[in-house]
Structure formats: C-alpha cells, structure tokens
Amino acid sequence: MKNLLVTGYRAHELNIFDQKHKGIAYIQQAITNRLLPLLDEGLEWVITPGQYGVDLWACEAVIALKAQYPQLKLSIVTAYMNQEAKWSENKKIYYEEILKGVDYYAAVSKQPYEGAWQFKARDELLFRKTDGILLFYDDDAGEGSPKFVKERALRKQEEEGYRYIGLTSEDIQSVVEEEALSSWNDDSTEHGDTVEEYDH
C-alpha cells in the first residue's frame, strides 16, 4: 500500500476542546502503532482531510515519523478553501504550524464553504487517490461523522479490495494501559524494586 487515507472523529465528538488534553497523545500513539508496519510494507503517503480532530493529530504523528522515515510524505486535501476561517485563533495557529510539515496541500473546491457537495467531492477524490484507510471510529459509541466514511470504505473493500484498518477506543485504551505499565516498571526499577517483590 502506497497511499493511506487517515481520518476519524472531530475533536468535539470526543469531547476534546483543548490541545492540552492528555487523550490526544494516546490517540497519536495508537495511530503511530498502526502506521509503523505499513511503513515497513512501503507506505509513502498519508493523506487526510485536515479537519480539527483525528485528522490533524494524525498529521502530527506523521510529521514526527518523518525523521525516522524520510520517504514518508504528508498531504492535506480539504473540501473547500479556508476551512479554518471560522476556527478560534489558537486552532488557526496550530493548523498553520501543521501546514509547515505538509508536503502537499490542496482544496478540492476553490470556493469557500458552499454546501455538502464539497465534502462529497472531497471524499470521492480521497477514496480514488488512496489504497486503504485508517479510520478511528467506534460503532457502539453512538453515531458520529466517520460513520459514512466507514460504510463507504467497507463497500470499496468488498468491491475493489480497498484496505480497511480500524482504530477504536479499545485500541486507545490499550495504549493508555501499556504506558501506565511501562512507567510503573520504570518507577520500580528506579527505586531498586523488582517485579518478583510484588508477586508475594
């Protein structure tokens, strides 16, 4: 797989309203964990719609991976021009920082927001240009904006062998638990404790 679409929830759908939210780092780690085996298989491009939430957190994860995988490239393809126009000042500054690490940026529609057709045109293009998708979506968490993306990806998987890679809250929880365990192990080692001492 050469080109991968990465998307998922918008920040507000996860009740994340602030870039300092500790959940973001766990989401990014889970995305990185999924990307690493794909990089070993020859992944070249990660493409995202650049919406505020999973899309941009994935961009940060990719930018961090580029140091280790210089062949990896990042693209943001938005539905319309100036999608960040109504964002808060903090979000705009954050977005501009991310754009500095992007290899290719484009808007499918050269107009500002006009209607749902722009999102439809964007999704058409993103699915056409990619070989698979990494999607953060939970079926049992109530409906969210990625639901239709998932339905479309699964249809394309059935018809054309498009690759679907899911990411769920359980995967994020695993990252949280792994991190808690490794920091517990680090603390234990620091204090000269051994695991055996806790077995009794």
Side-chain angles (χ1 to χ4, degrees):
M1 176 158 53
K2 300 278 187 220
N3 304 324
L4 178 72
L5 169 58
V6 181
T7 189
Y9 290 108
R10 297 180 192 187
H12 67 88
E13 293 178 301
L14 296 167
N15 293 317
I16 294 176
F17 300 101
D18 166 0
Q19 273 306 112
K20 294 183 179 72
H21 193 289
K22 59 177 189 259
I24 295 172
Y26 296 126
I27 292 168
Q28 288 175 323
Q29 187 56 54
I31 289 169
T32 301
N33 293 349
R34 288 283 195 275
L35 291 177
L36 287 169
L38 299 175
L39 283 161
D40 293 333
E41 290 170 25
L43 178 67
E44 290 173 9
W45 280 92
V46 168
I47 303 168
T48 156
Q51 294 176 131
Y52 185 71
V54 171
D55 296 2
L56 295 184
W57 303 331
C59 289
E60 282 190 280
V62 170
I63 291 165
L65 280 168
K66 281 173 157 208
Q68 203 181 337
Y69 296 90
Q71 81 279 12
L72 181 60
K73 291 186 171 61
L74 175 62
S75 172
I76 291 180
V77 178
T78 64
Y80 51 89
M81 292 295 279
N82 304 323
Q83 71 164 0
E84 73 284 9
K86 293 192 166 93
W87 293 5
S88 71
E89 208 48 46
N90 283 349
K91 284 183 192 172
K92 283 181 185 170
I93 291 165
Y94 167 66
Y95 188 55
E96 279 159 23
E97 275 307 304
I98 284 178
L99 287 178
K100 290 176 189 169
V102 165
D103 298 284
Y104 178 78
Y105 170 84
V108 177
S109 162
K110 303 300 176 213
Q111 310 300 321
Y113 178 72
E114 289 180 353
W117 65 270
Q118 289 165 311
F119 293 106
K120 204 174 168 197
R122 177 201 66 194
D123 292 349
E124 287 282 340
L125 180 75
L126 290 171
F127 274 107
R128 204 168 63 241
K129 293 283 185 191
T130 53
D131 312 307
I133 185 172
L134 169 56
L135 181 70
F136 179 15
Y137 180 64
D138 276 301
D139 285 310
D140 48 6
E143 289 191 4
S145 60
K147 180 189 176 198
F148 304 103
V149 176
K150 179 175 183 179
E151 287 171 359
R152 180 164 188 169
L154 291 176
R155 225 172 24 249
K156 194 171 164 74
Q157 182 183 47
E158 214 171 275
E159 292 164 9
E160 301 168 33
Y162 191 75
R163 191 159 168 193
Y164 177 85
I165 303 163
L167 195 61
T168 66
S169 299
E170 279 181 19
D171 298 312
I172 312 301
Q173 190 54 42
S174 299
V175 171
V176 174
E177 286 161 13
E178 274 167 36
E179 198 151 304
L181 190 61
S182 83
S183 69
W184 181 81
N185 284 338
D186 291 347
D187 288 348
S188 303
T189 315
E190 245 170 60
H191 298 112
D193 303 331
T194 63
V195 176
E196 286 78 14
E197 288 174 40
Y198 294 99
D199 287 344
H200 305 302

